[in-house]
Amino acid sequence: FFYLAGQFCCGFFVILILGNFWFLAVLYLLWLYLDWETPCAGGRRSQWVRSWTVWKYFREYFPIHLIKTSDLNPKHNYLLGFHPHGVLVAGAFGNFCTGPSFKNLFPGLTPYLHIMPIWFGCPFFREYVMSAGMVSASKESVSYVLNNEGGGHASIIVIGGAEESLNAHPGSLTLNILKRKGFIKMALKHGAHLVPVFSFGENELFKQVANPKGSWLRNVQEKMQKIMGFALPLFHARGVFQYSFGLIPYRQPIHTVVGSPIPVKRNLNPTTEEIDDLHALYLQKLRQLFEEHKRNYGIPEHKSLIFE
């Protein structure tokens, strides 16, 4: 969906250049040059955009719910690890970029959803995603958010990234996380408390063409992901008036459960061992969060998370 929206905005920009409005395109390019660093400096959110009525219908379609398990003291900064990526990342967008749920449950905290930097190079589209509260997933951007002296900032990072979207099959519980330790290092450097977040139902929104590891399709997808920076899962769901085929996600409830914070002391130069220890603790807390809540959201007792 991001890909299609980005292509639409880029296409509109090309029309301006080729049409009689080339001067508007030139002015926008000047603006783009002057505003290039904004996605790495907290973005430019708009409460008006975040409160659009369309997002209310978007959340109610599935529906999307945000579940709180513990208070988060606004005197601290937090790094929330969101799992799983899924195809749409609907839980992350619906809960952290729209509506009042996060603000009501965690007063005093401002959420920043980090997405791939490539999206901020799309003309016009970058303005839209920033207005919804999204910022770059670059190290500079995460540091900017977590470096708030007074606390009250929450970085939300989809830990599995684009690679994990290729595992987004209904019933899949595989997370790409064993080699992903950059977020742990960032939390240590800034003393940001870590919070595991699991979004039940995220992988149920679409059916994806079978792409087991080692298959020709998976190999092509992984090569494309390395080249372009984002994955291209081949997915389908329902149509507008029929349920057999289309690109509209299935109406499956999404319950995004925010776990308890893991206190982190600031360490400007963490050792590999310290990073590994905190990473292991984070995995333990993430698994515990999943096990405590899976029965509530239709996960069979014998099913558990798989870390890769």
Side-chain angles (χ1 to χ4, degrees):
F1 289 89
F2 265 22
Y3 177 76
L4 293 176
Q7 289 296 308
F8 174 81
C9 290
C10 288
F12 179 70
F13 183 71
V14 171
I15 292 174
L16 288 181
I17 295 177
L18 299 179
N20 295 324
F21 302 98
W22 59 268
F23 62 94
L24 293 178
V26 172
L27 289 176
Y28 184 80
L29 285 175
L30 176 60
W31 163 257
L32 195 63
Y33 173 77
L34 297 174
D35 195 57
W36 190 254
E37 297 300 324
T38 301
C40 294
R44 185 172 47 251
R45 70 181 55 222
S46 165
Q47 191 55 42
W48 175 66
V49 173
R50 290 167 60 87
S51 301
W52 281 353
T53 302
V54 67
W55 303 136
K56 176 177 179 291
Y57 294 121
F58 171 79
R59 293 190 304 274
E60 292 178 350
Y61 171 79
F62 298 97
I64 296 174
H65 304 281
L66 185 65
I67 293 88
K68 170 183 175 180
T69 64
S70 177
D71 290 332
L72 298 182
N73 190 334
K75 293 182 179 179
H76 300 295
N77 294 315
Y78 298 88
L79 195 160
L80 279 62
F82 184 91
H83 312 271
H85 184 287
V87 171
L88 186 60
V89 204
F93 178 75
N95 287 311
F96 304 123
C97 296
T98 75
S101 294
F102 186 86
K103 181 179 179 181
N104 292 339
L105 292 177
F106 304 102
L109 285 182
T110 302
Y112 295 83
L113 179 60
H114 296 271
I115 64 175
M116 290 184 297
I118 188 174
W119 296 117
F120 296 99
C122 297
F124 302 114
F125 184 68
R126 69 189 296 274
E127 320 302 334
Y128 159 66
V129 293
M130 278 197 291
S131 66
M134 286 177 263
V135 292
S136 172
S138 67
K139 292 181 180 179
E140 296 78 12
S141 178
V142 177
S143 291
Y144 184 93
V145 173
L146 296 181
N147 203 34
N148 190 41
E149 291 294 336
H153 281 187
S155 279
I156 297 97
I157 301 178
V158 184
I159 305 299
E163 182 182 358
E164 193 173 87
S165 68
L166 299 178
N167 290 328
H169 296 271
S172 174
L173 296 172
T174 300
L175 304 181
N176 292 69
I177 192 172
L178 291 182
K179 296 181 180 179
R180 296 178 181 268
K181 301 179 181 180
F183 74 104
I184 298 292
K185 189 174 182 179
M186 293 298 293
L188 282 166
K189 283 190 171 184
H190 295 280
H193 295 352
L194 282 167
V195 182
V197 178
F198 195 87
S199 194
F200 291 90
E202 200 74 46
N203 283 340
E204 318 306 315
L205 305 185
F206 297 93
K207 292 180 180 178
Q208 190 173 167
V209 175
N211 59 342
K213 288 193 174 182
S215 65
W216 69 269
L217 176 58
R218 186 60 168 256
N219 291 335
V220 170
Q221 289 175 319
E222 289 177 346
K223 288 180 181 178
M224 293 293 287
Q225 188 261 323
K226 291 179 181 179
I227 294 172
M228 300 186 299
F230 56 90
L232 291 174
L234 298 180
F235 60 89
H236 65 89
R238 54 162 292 185
V240 178
F241 301 111
Q242 45 78 29
Y243 292 85
S244 58
F245 189 82
L247 294 179
I248 298 176
Y250 293 115
R251 296 193 71 177
Q252 296 289 339
I254 298 172
H255 295 88
T256 303
V257 184
V258 181
S260 300
I262 303 170
V264 178
K265 291 185 179 180
R266 190 174 188 182
N267 185 348
L268 294 177
N269 296 292
T271 64
T272 300
E273 182 180 2
E274 289 170 330
I275 293 173
D276 288 344
D277 288 345
L278 184 56
H279 185 261
L281 177 60
Y282 178 85
L283 294 183
Q284 176 188 332
K285 294 297 184 182
L286 174 59
R287 188 181 295 279
Q288 180 180 333
L289 177 71
F290 174 81
E291 293 295 331
E292 288 178 352
H293 294 273
K294 68 180 184 181
R295 301 171 192 83
N296 298 331
Y297 307 117
I299 306 295
E301 185 65 32
H302 67 278
K303 290 262 191 173
S304 296
L305 293 179
I306 301 173
F307 296 147
E308 291 186 346

